[in-house]
Amino acid sequence: MNIDFEKTGGLVPVIIQDEQTLEVLMLGYMNQEAYDKTVQENIVTFYSRSKNRLWTKGETSSNFLHVKNISIDCDNDTLLIKVKADGPTCHTGSRSCFNTEFNQNFILELENIIADRYANPVEGSYVNKLRNKGLNKIAQKVGEEGVETVIAALAETETDLINESSDLVFHLLVLLREKGLTLETIAKNLESRHK
């Protein structure tokens, strides 16, 4: 990777993004030494402008940022690092340093929770109860929730529509997982249809 550290006075901005939800978690800066350490250890290390030294995110909190992918922008002077965070990214305890009202990508997070329930069954989990009933029951639940969503849209309150839509999306995610598909597959299909 040919990073142009000189263009920006020795430091390049680094956008940290959750690898699963794609939520932007924070912005930091790296010099060559911080970048080299990040690549070597697969843990994000910044150059702290306030501390005037290398700073590994999580060195005091243990909320490390594990590198999953590093990309560079078209001008070779900004990095995008996709990570798996060990905990909250912000020193305030928030998942992101940006005060977003809600996790815009919670559906992707929910998909991961469902996948985890498949990989690590939890006694009493609704996902596991559905899974144990099999594909036909899961598909039936998607159909039921679809009909209930239509009814709510035509004859019930906005709150009812929101609740039924949420149920529909949840059960669809379980069905996709049961069939070994992901939202990424659906998103790529939708993108390919877009003209």
Side-chain angles (χ1 to χ4, degrees), residues 59-102:
E59 65 187 29
T60 55
S61 67
S62 296
N63 293 330
F64 295 101
L65 300 173
H66 300 271
V67 176
K68 298 301 177 182
N69 180 272
I70 300 176
S71 301
I72 192 165
D73 78 335
C74 58
D75 294 324
N76 295 330
D77 61 3
T78 302
L79 296 175
L80 172 66
I81 301 182
K82 291 184 181 175
V83 301
K84 180 174 185 341
D86 280 342
T89 301
C90 187
H91 71 281
T92 65
S94 295
R95 74 184 177 284
S96 169
C97 292
F98 297 95
N99 292 322
T100 53
E101 185 178 327
F102 64 99

Side-chain angles (χ1 to χ4, degrees), residues 43-63:
I43 302 284
V44 174
T45 295
F46 296 108
Y47 181 82
S48 172
R49 297 172 299 163
S50 60
K51 297 173 184 173
N52 202 28
R53 67 171 175 84
L54 293 187
W55 168 62
T56 299
K57 177 66 178 129
E59 65 187 29
T60 55
S61 67
S62 296
N63 293 330

Side-chain angles (χ1 to χ4, degrees), residues 19 27 132 141 181:
E19 70 156 334
L27 172 70
N132 289 337
K141 284 299 291 179
L181 298 172

